[in-house]
Amino acid sequence: MREPQSDKAELFARVDELLADLSAQRTPLPSLRERIRLRQAGGLSTAQIADVLGCPAENVTAWEAGKHEPIGIPRAAYARLLEGIKALERPEPREKPARRIPAAPLATAADPPEQPALFTAPPAHSAPPPRNQPPLPKVTPTGPLAVIDHADTLVAHFTNASQLPLDTDDLVGLLQWTLRSGLHQEALSPKGKDSDPLIVLTPAASTALHLPTELSDRALLRLPAGHPVLVQLNQAGFRLTRRGFGPWSGIYRPVVNNKRASVNVAVMAWGALSQDGWNLPPLPPSDLAQLLGIYADRLLTPRGSTAVCGVKLMTALRPPTKATYDPASGKWVSGPNPAALHTPFEPAPPEAPDVHPLAQGRPPEQAMEEEAWDWRRLPDQRERAEFPHVVGLDTNIAFIMAASSLSVGRNAPPRHVVAPAFDQKIPGAWYCDLSHAPHDPRLPSPFTATGQAPTGPAWYTTVTLAYAKELKIEVRPIEAYLRDDRGPYLNPWYERLRDAYLATMADLGVHKDIPQADYLAAMKRLPTADPALLALLAAIKATGKGGLGKLREGPRTIAAPYARWPALDQPTWRPDIRAAVVSRARVTLHRKMRRMLTETGRSPLAVLSDCAVYPAHHPTALDVVPEGPDRTGIAGLLRLGVNPGFAKEEGTQSMAWYQQQYNQGINPARSIKAPA
């Protein structure tokens, strides 16, 4: 019996659809960096592209980060969109093509790739064409920032490698242009706001704008009151934030009709990008704009030191306020965001730093000491005889990783409880005696920063006591300060830093999921990679580390003992959260070292923070970590790889060197890395 013609047509249509889908899967796509560059060149956000393609914005972000690739018809549509943007691009003002980051090849030990450079050799400066040449093509400012240089006139360099001469010669005119330009970064959270534009002044630009070459006030690092530039800004209606006009400044006009008019300014001549976590190499303005654009795209628009950026990233991803409907007025108003930190709280007494007002009169043993390890031991006779070398293994972004999915207190003051039952779901500080816990001298104690066994009651975070329970140790808290409002506040912060770190490592030729030997070879080539990319990587890591440090920021100036300082009034001043992160990093490393001892019979000789020194037969990390069935290590043990929580080889030395360092009272983990 023959099938009806309609069934045959429907069947053929399904076959054609399948063939079209297979064809679409073979559609070539640009490199990861080119995808980002083209999107930025078109002035598009990931949300706009996702809306056109009918997919979540997270998919577009993942395609640009290389986490996974589009398939089927969406792949063909995505390729068509990128090709269309490329066709619409105007020619560069300069003769040479726009510089871009090439996709880094997979690193293998057998075939080491030639390391791609982020930037080609630049001219001495980026000046506009001479007066007798045709004017530059019209350029629309795009991106979150501009680097302002000066030769014959001020020139703005954008993150997509375009540039635009500016018709102004003073700071007021430059700020007015910036506010009209449309430069901004879209909000990182649906509850957040777009970022203010950033303008970076090269030394030539700041001189042209009548700013001094250096700040005479070296203590406060700000332009003195009464300076002509400040007078000019004031007369034009601009105001400065409390920190004044320094290396990083916020300049704004008062809010009108609920609209902000703010610009962030970075002055390179005053150290804005060469200190405080920023150590960028000398770059021409166009290349600098591109590099900062990558940082902004992967994290956020720079706002100050990398530490400041770290805490600003927390609040950008978890804004303290959100739109809330007010039934009384029938309007949407600004209200607190329960998933964020929106209210400042006093810490629990044991959590307060020694200079805090709550620490006045506090006995030393009542202070919480949840800090990273500084521990070392002498090798035993067998280790000295069997192992002629020592190897340092440093955990990748260990403290950033420790923030992942960590439940912390949010917007409730600590509740004091006497003789509580331990509950590992409640963040808090617990006073408990763990001196009865068994201690293996081959490993540092997970309960003290010194690595020595506790000798009496002490204050611990929930994370530490939960690990004690995991080790089958009896836990009987004497008292506690508990936080009932809790949640994984830092999780999106960790994820954004993780993705930025991995994407930058991939740009440098170091990829995920490669054999440990290939990873080790790729890391040995890393110091010779492009200095700009290496500086970007360092800035990303400093952003995470500095952001965690800001949670317990101390006073910046010398004040009376136990006097309050401004940071205490910030909702993000939370030493309890920092203590929980540090505690988690410490017990995570202890868990891996304990399993290493069980599986390999080898234990660390020294630990400093996230670096552990092991004895070795040969001067290589491959001698210490197990290979595993697929040569990528064994889960739960120390293993080599680029992933957060995996390890890299920090350095190798001789066993004799280790003993010499130990005898001098130095922790060998501090200096095992050979000087460059």
Side-chain angles (χ1 to χ4, degrees), residues 47-67:
Q48 287 174 299
I49 292 180
D51 184 58
V52 169
L53 299 181
C55 67
E58 292 77 6
N59 285 15
V60 180
T61 302
W63 299 342
E64 292 183 351
K67 295 169 70 173

Side-chain angles (χ1 to χ4, degrees), residues 15 17 99 167 353 450 588 649:
V15 170
E17 183 178 350
R99 291 177 291 273
D167 186 20
T450 63
T588 298
E649 183 182 281

Side-chain angles (χ1 to χ4, degrees), residues 164-316:
L164 178 69
L166 303 179
D167 186 20
T168 184
D169 59 2
D170 60 28
L171 187 57
V172 168
L174 178 59
L175 294 172
Q176 291 171 337
W177 169 83
T178 305
L179 291 172
R180 296 191 306 267
S181 68
L183 292 175
H184 74 289
Q185 182 176 29
E186 292 188 357
L188 301 184
S189 163
K191 300 178 179 65
K193 299 177 181 178
D194 293 354
S195 74
D196 296 327
L198 168 67
I199 54 174
V200 178
L201 305 181
T202 67
S206 57
T207 298
L209 295 171
H210 312 293
L211 294 172
T213 56
E214 62 180 27
L215 293 172
S216 57
D217 188 341
R218 303 307 300 169
L220 296 177
L221 286 178
R222 63 179 60 174
L223 207 58
H227 189 280
V229 169
L230 298 185
V231 173
Q232 185 186 34
L233 289 175
N234 187 62
Q235 291 174 344
F238 285 101
R239 301 291 180 265
L240 293 164
T241 57
R242 185 173 54 186
R243 63 186 174 185
F245 199 151
W248 295 89
S249 307
I251 305 177
Y252 66 96
R253 279 178 169 160
V255 174
V256 177
N257 296 327
N258 293 323
K259 291 185 178 180
R260 296 189 306 168
S262 304
V263 178
N264 292 317
V265 179
V267 183
M268 294 180 64
W270 300 344
L273 293 171
S274 57
Q275 59 189 21
D276 297 327
W278 296 103
N279 293 290
L280 304 187
L283 293 170
S286 181
D287 294 347
L288 177 60
Q290 292 179 70
L291 187 69
L292 293 176
I294 298 171
Y295 179 91
D297 191 64
R298 292 179 179 174
L299 291 182
L300 78 167
T301 305
R303 298 279 298 275
S305 69
T306 52
V308 168
C309 291
V311 78
K312 292 292 185 184
L313 181 62
M314 295 178 194
T315 56

Side-chain angles (χ1 to χ4, degrees), residues 619-635:
T620 172
L622 295 172
D623 184 85
V624 178
V625 297
E627 186 176 51
D630 57 358
R631 298 188 298 128
T632 61
I634 299 176

Side-chain angles (χ1 to χ4, degrees), residues 386-561:
E386 183 179 344
F387 301 103
H389 304 281
V390 292
V391 176
L393 299 176
D394 184 78
T395 305
N396 298 325
I397 58 173
F399 296 99
I400 298 172
M401 174 71 178
S404 172
S405 303
L406 178 64
S407 181
V408 298
R410 293 185 298 198
N411 296 294
R415 172 173 57 90
H416 185 236
V417 185
V418 176
F422 177 67
D423 186 341
Q424 65 182 29
K425 295 181 180 179
I426 303 179
W430 309 77
Y431 193 55
C432 187
D433 189 352
L434 296 179
S435 59
H436 60 281
H439 175 61
D440 187 336
R442 295 173 296 176
L443 295 172
S445 168
F447 308 122
T448 65
T450 63
Q452 304 304 314
T455 57
W459 287 96
Y460 300 102
T461 65
T462 300
V463 176
T464 300
L465 288 193
Y467 186 58
K469 293 277 287 186
E470 180 182 324
L471 297 176
K472 310 301 183 184
I473 297 169
E474 183 183 33
V475 173
R476 283 191 175 182
I478 300 167
E479 61 177 313
Y481 289 91
L482 307 180
R483 289 178 165 84
D484 300 309
D485 178 26
R486 58 189 183 269
Y489 169 71
L490 289 173
N491 206 49
W493 180 82
Y494 155 72
E495 291 175 349
R496 192 159 178 87
L497 281 161
R498 174 203 62 196
D499 293 347
Y501 160 77
L502 289 174
T504 307
M505 289 296 287
D507 290 339
L508 287 161
V510 185
H511 297 266
K512 295 172 57 180
D513 305 322
I514 60 175
Q516 294 187 120
D518 295 349
Y519 168 74
L520 196 60
M523 290 298 292
K524 288 186 181 299
R525 295 191 296 270
L526 194 64
T528 64
D530 180 59
L533 272 177
L534 290 174
L536 174 63
L537 177 67
I540 289 170
K541 293 195 288 187
T543 300
K545 184 177 180 180
L548 292 172
K550 279 282 186 181
L551 295 173
R552 197 179 188 240
E553 181 182 1
R556 295 188 180 183
T557 58
I558 299 176

